Structures are given as structure tokens and as C-alpha cells.
Amino acid sequence: MTEMLRAPAEVKYAEELDWLESVDDSPKPFSWRLSPKMVRLFILGSERADGLDREIGQKWYGDRSFVERSIVTLASDRGLLLIGDPGTGKSWLAELLAAAICRNSTLVVQGTAGTTEDHIKYSWNVSMVIARGQSRESMIPSPIMTAMEKGVIGRFEELTRSTSDVQDALISILSEKYVSIPELDDDNIVYAQPGFSIIATANSRDRGVNDLSSALKRRFNFVRIPVVTNKKAEAEIVRFRTVELLRRHQIELEVPPTLLDILLQSFADLRAAADAATSDDEKLESALSTAEQIGVLEDAILHSQFFGDRTLRAGTLASSLVGSLARRSPEDLAILNKYWHGVVEPRSKNDGGEWPEFLDGGKQTIDTLS
């Protein structure tokens, strides 16, 4: 297999998906590769009660009901909209769902201010049009149109980042299940095949940027993904992702549990401070998501590997945390400085352990950036 920087879920877990498909004897909607029960099992992992001959690892950490409702929505051929704060795993869940259902998670449109209707429907190969005129051969289908033709899942990332007129191009696709091509006289309608659906994601922090129209909202089932606040669940997610990144970088390094506890506690403290803040200037610009915790840990691990003694230390972790979260100057630096002196310093005196080195590493980085 060709080396990939990041393999899509259907490639990464191909052997596991093949095995699940071979033992799956439950009814499957449309042209699904796995039954709804097996899709859930692939995403959430197996349990002893499932009676399988092998263990299936958990890949997404969150409430089972969110996964089940997502699967039921797609089985009903309605569009699915996963909405939540940054870093809550919306895109990862969408990728896993598409990989399990149709073994193709790569038919993706990325919503931005520059996304146009062509990205949702189709465009033209200009040189072919000049040479031979407009035809189906000279048409460039969008990922969504390709998903329609193949009867698989199309994905739309950050739907609310695209403009309202672009969003509304989805209305006819979701309701009528076809796209007309007025430039052609014949073969000018693309019909969606059974199994086609759309999984969209939206950042709840983008509310008000480009709100969805009522007509489009009616064509999506909403599943709201909350921020993970349970410390045990969050620790499992961070460990899972850390093992993956160490394997990807071919690094043999042990993450001390005490440092993982410090990272989790620091983010919990900063979230509590953000919740108590009375203005945006008193909040870090960072969403303080689980994904950002993983980014902080990855940064610290790589720094230890390339510029340290290949041992993860509290000072390096503190430097990585400050460097990653201090996005605004002086606002974010002032918030972190207040946290370091008001919370980390007393904790280092009372709890000892790795906290004093964490305190010093953070202070040095704050002084350097100030």
C-alpha cells in the first residue's frame, strides 16, 4: 500500500471493516456495506456481550445515543448535521460513519467563504468544452454529485462557513434527490442512487455567521455533540490519539500519567475560568477543546524528541500549553499569567510532584512571549 501522511478511516481500518462485513448477517439499508448494528460497533467498539471472535477497538468517544441517532438518520435517507464546539470530534465521527456505511469517506466539500455552487453541483473542463462542446464527458462533478451517482455518503464540512446561497443549493438535492444540468439537452439530470445521503458539520461558535435557512434546517436531522467534560472520558480520548501520533511518528516514548493528569487539570481549570468570565476579553480565544489538548501534547512530545532528551517533562508540557493557547497578545498572555500565578503556583506548593517544574516552564514561556 502507498505510504500516506493520513490514511482515511476506510483505509486505516480496512482489515477490520472486511472482517465485520464477513460476519455481518443483519439487515442492511439501501446499499450499505454494514448493518446499523455493525456500524455502531465499528465506531464505539465491541463488548463481550456482542459475542464476536475478535475485539473491535473504540474509535470515537462520546455518548452512544449520538452515534445511534446519527445512524438512524442516515438510514432514513435524511441529511445529518453534526453541530458542536470546535474539537468535539464531529468530523471524525462523520468520517467513521461514511467509512463504515459505504467504505468511502473522501467525498468531501469544505465550506468556506469562497465555496461556490459549483463545489456542490458541477463545473466544466474548459479545454474540453472549447474542443468538443458541453457534454457529460466535459463536466466535472462535485464530490456531492459523485456521491449521488454512486449511492454513497457525501460530506460537507463547516456548512455555516459558506454563504447562504451556496447552502441553499443543497435544498433541492436533499429534497428532490436529483441535480438538473440545464446546459445539456440530453442526459441532463443526475439522480441520486439508493444509499446517498449527506453528513454536514457545523461549528456552534459560527452561529450568526451564515445561519441556515428554515428550509434547509427542515431537511437535516440535528445531532448536537457536546464538549467532553468527563475527565475519565477525556483522558481516554487523549490516550487514544497519543498512541496514534506516536505510532505515526515512529516514536517510542512513555507519557507519564502524572503529566497527563496535569494537562487535563489545567484545561479543566481554564474552562472553569472561561465559564466564570464576564466578557470575551477575560476568555482565552482557544475553545479549550479535547482536540487542542491533543495538539498541546503532540507539540510537547515532538519537542522532547527533537530538542530534548526524548523524555517528556513537565516544563516542556507547560511551554507547549502556553505557546499553543496564547493566540492574542496581550489578552491571552494576561489570562495565562493570572492562571499561572493564581492557580498553578499554589498547587505546586501544596501538591508538589511535577507541578513545580510545570510552574517554572510556564512562567518562562510567558515571560518570553510578553
Side-chain angles (χ1 to χ4, degrees):
M1 184 179 68
T2 304
E3 287 283 338
M4 300 182 193
L5 182 60
R6 181 193 179 279
E10 62 271 19
V11 174
K12 183 176 182 179
Y13 301 109
E15 190 272 334
E16 192 173 277
L17 287 165
D18 287 340
W19 186 83
L20 287 172
E21 194 171 345
S22 71
V23 299
D24 189 4
D25 56 4
S26 299
K28 304 176 183 66
F30 309 116
S31 56
W32 284 27
R33 299 286 293 271
L34 292 177
S35 65
K37 179 181 176 182
M38 284 298 189
V39 173
R40 182 189 67 183
L41 192 147
F42 169 70
I43 295 171
L44 295 176
S46 60
E47 299 175 353
R48 185 172 297 178
D50 294 316
L52 297 179
D53 294 334
R54 62 176 285 180
E55 182 180 355
I56 303 297
Q58 187 171 2
K59 301 166 188 67
W60 188 82
Y61 293 81
D63 195 291
R64 176 182 294 261
S65 64
F66 301 141
V67 177
E68 291 179 348
R69 184 155 189 264
S70 299
I71 295 169
V72 168
T73 295
L74 295 170
S76 71
D77 85 357
R78 286 178 62 83
L80 170 65
L81 179 62
L82 302 174
I83 187 167
D85 281 355
T88 49
K90 303 181 299 295
S91 297
W92 180 231
L93 177 56
E95 182 176 338
L96 290 170
L97 286 165
I101 290 171
C102 59
R103 300 292 286 268
N104 188 347
S105 65
T106 61
L107 297 172
V108 184
V109 173
Q110 180 64 51
T112 68
T115 303
T116 66
E117 192 171 328
D118 291 352
H119 293 115
I120 298 174
K121 293 183 175 180
Y122 59 90
S123 57
W124 297 97
N125 183 320
V126 177
S127 60
M128 287 185 67
V129 170
I130 293 172
R132 307 177 192 173
Q134 290 177 321
S135 66
R136 287 297 293 269
E137 288 72 29
S138 60
M139 191 177 73
I140 304 173
S142 71
I144 299 297
M145 181 178 281
T146 301
M148 294 175 69
E149 292 180 301
K150 293 184 176 181
V152 297
I153 303 292
R155 295 169 51 203
F156 200 124
E157 289 290 312
E158 303 293 352
L159 179 59
T160 50
R161 300 300 299 175
S162 55
T163 58
S164 299
D165 56 330
V166 173
Q167 293 175 18
D168 287 345
L170 286 175
I171 293 176
S172 61
I173 293 175
L174 288 168
S175 58
E176 307 300 335
K177 304 294 195 242
Y178 68 79
V179 172
S180 61
I181 310 168
E183 295 92 338
L184 301 181
D185 295 326
D186 301 312
D187 194 17
N188 57 1
I189 297 180
V190 174
Y191 294 97
Q193 298 302 302
F196 165 72
S197 192
I198 292 176
I199 304 176
T201 64
N203 185 341
S204 54
R205 290 198 170 200
D206 288 338
R207 187 175 300 149
V209 177
N210 291 299
D211 285 335
L212 303 183
S213 66
S214 298
L216 187 54
K217 285 180 180 178
R218 289 197 302 271
R219 287 158 175 83
F220 277 113
N221 271 358
F222 284 55
V223 174
R224 296 187 177 275
I225 309 295
V227 173
V228 178
T229 55
N230 180 280
K231 195 172 180 180
K232 181 180 178 182
E234 193 164 46
E236 288 178 340
I237 297 171
V238 175
R239 286 193 195 97
F240 173 74
R241 289 298 194 183
T242 303
V243 169
E244 285 195 329
L245 79 89
L246 289 173
R247 188 184 299 121
R248 186 172 76 234
H249 292 294
Q250 298 181 336
I251 295 174
E252 293 184 10
L253 183 147
E254 187 70 27
V255 178
T258 52
L259 291 187
L260 183 57
D261 288 341
I262 287 176
L263 178 65
L264 293 167
Q265 186 61 58
S266 299
F267 267 72
D269 293 338
L270 290 167
R271 285 172 187 156
D275 290 340
T278 56
S279 70
D280 288 341
D281 287 342
E282 296 174 353
K283 298 179 183 179
L284 289 170
E285 188 175 68
S286 163
L288 298 171
S289 66
T290 305
E292 286 175 310
Q293 284 191 64
I294 296 164
V296 168
L297 187 56
E298 180 178 14
D299 180 80
I301 288 172
L302 293 176
H303 194 280
S304 301
Q305 180 74 10
F306 299 137
F307 303 111
D309 58 2
R310 300 188 179 185
T311 300
L312 183 61
R313 302 191 183 280
T316 306
L317 183 65
S319 178
S320 173
L321 190 149
V322 172
S324 298
L325 300 186
R327 298 173 182 176
R328 299 176 301 174
S329 181
E331 294 90 346
D332 285 349
L333 283 171
I335 293 168
L336 289 167
N337 189 55
K338 179 180 178 181
Y339 168 67
W340 238 260
H341 285 87
V343 178
V344 178
E345 190 166 344
R347 191 169 281 146
S348 69
K349 292 177 181 177
N350 297 330
D351 298 348
E354 304 277 7
W355 282 102
E357 185 180 343
F358 186 77
L359 171 68
D360 291 340
K363 279 185 175 180
Q364 291 174 16
T365 306
I366 290 171
D367 289 343
T368 300
L369 296 176
S370 297

